[in-house]
């Protein structure tokens, strides 16, 4: 069985984080830790949630070719460390929780990566979740909803689309997709 590079994307508020947590609890996956220039949210630790870099540090890494993919969205850089992921991939499946531009960059450099888009049952559900988690102000929520439309418009370029209508069902569907792809 081959080790899979699994890209999970989906708009802010779709419940990606919860799905990833559940997958990690149930299966033997490792999660990539991305770099970002956005400031840490309360409780986010450097090296766990993200590696928090300054824009200068991030741009230096871009110049060195240190990223497997990166993108700039919501006014900040986000990127996946190439060595970090390729090293983890030697010993098992690796999950990247990243947005679509990055996901498509991964697909173009690693054609055998598995791209899964997580979609909301409807856009109203996104607004409710984003407002409920209280980590973004109203303007940021609007920006994220606009971005959500863009992300979902790229779904057809992904290998699979999984609707997060029910956590248990969505996680099982993803596990089944991964199982099939590994065989
Ligand atoms: P947040 O600021 O809410 O943690 O993340 C915002 C968005 O950035 C999410 O859609 C998340 O999936 C995406 N993201 C996180 N890490 C990376 C990364 O390394 N590369 C790319 N392209 N997007 C990322």
């Amino acid at each position: 069985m081959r080790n899979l590079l699994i890209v999970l994307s989906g708009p802010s508020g779709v419940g990606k984080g919860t799905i990833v947590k559940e997958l990690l609890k149930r299966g033997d996956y490792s999660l990539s830790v991305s770099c970002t220039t956005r400031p840490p949210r309360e409780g986010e630790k450097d090296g766990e949630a993200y590696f928090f870099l300054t824009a200068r540090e991030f741009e230096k890494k871009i110049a060195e070719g240190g990223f497997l993919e990166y993108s700039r969205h919501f006014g900040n850089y986000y990127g996946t460390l190439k060595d970090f992921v390729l090293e983890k991939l030697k010993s098992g499946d690796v999950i990247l929780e990243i947005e679509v531009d990055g996901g498509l960059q991964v697909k173009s450099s690693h054609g055998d990566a598995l791209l899964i888009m997580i979609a909301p049952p409807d856009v109203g559900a996104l607004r409710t979740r984003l407002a409920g988690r209280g980590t973004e102000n109203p303007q940021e929520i609007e920006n994220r909803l606009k971005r959500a439309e863009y992300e979902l418009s790229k779904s057809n370029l992904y290998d699979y689309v999984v609707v997060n209508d029910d956590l248990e069902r969505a996680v099982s569907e993803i596990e089944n997709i991964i199982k099939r792809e590994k065989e």
Side-chain angles (χ1 to χ4, degrees):
M1 279 206 262
R2 64 196 181 105
N3 293 339
L4 274 184
L5 189 52
I6 304 160
V7 172
L8 289 181
S9 300
S12 250
V14 79
K16 265 176 307 181
T18 315
I19 288 181
V20 169
K21 260 193 219 133
E22 203 52 40
L23 285 168
L24 294 176
K25 238 195 264 168
R26 297 189 194 187
D28 197 12
Y29 308 106
S30 50
L31 180 65
S32 165
V33 179
S34 294
C35 296
T36 185
T37 57
R38 89 150 159 71
R41 294 188 188 125
E42 211 179 308
E44 285 185 336
K45 294 204 182 96
D46 189 43
E48 285 180 17
Y50 285 101
F51 295 107
F52 293 99
L53 304 184
T54 62
R56 186 186 285 254
E57 287 166 335
F58 200 104
E59 283 162 2
K60 184 162 175 272
K61 270 203 186 305
I62 296 175
E64 292 166 354
F67 290 114
L68 184 64
E69 62 71 37
Y70 72 92
S71 114
R72 198 178 158 85
H73 50 276
F74 306 133
N76 287 297
Y77 284 119
Y78 292 80
T80 305
L81 291 169
K82 196 186 282 175
D83 291 351
F84 186 85
V85 166
L86 298 184
E87 197 50 43
K88 279 180 183 289
L89 197 57
K90 286 186 192 157
S91 45
D93 300 330
V94 182
I95 298 179
L96 309 184
E97 192 216 310
I98 63 178
E99 53 69 65
V100 283
D101 292 342
L104 295 172
Q105 286 173 49
V106 172
K107 191 72 177 177
S108 63
S109 62
H110 290 77
D112 54 355
L114 172 64
L115 267 55
I116 303 176
M117 174 72 73
I118 303 171
D122 61 80
V123 178
L126 283 186
R127 186 181 288 278
T128 311
R129 280 208 205 139
L130 281 173
R133 74 183 186 187
T135 48
E136 284 85 17
N137 66 40
Q139 184 56 51
E140 284 168 339
I141 291 178
E142 287 316 309
N143 292 344
R144 282 175 184 247
L145 287 172
K146 239 190 234 138
R147 178 84 193 173
E149 261 178 56
Y150 168 75
E151 298 233 354
L152 292 170
S153 75
K154 302 280 177 186
S155 293
N156 60 328
L157 300 172
Y158 269 54
D159 299 308
Y160 295 90
V161 178
V162 172
V163 176
N164 187 17
D165 47 1
D166 173 83
L167 178 66
E168 174 60 34
R169 198 207 58 74
V171 171
S172 303
E173 187 180 343
I174 294 171
E175 286 181 317
N176 288 335
I177 291 170
I178 294 172
K179 205 165 136 216
R180 268 205 316 273
E181 290 286 329
K182 283 180 75 71
E183 280 163 0

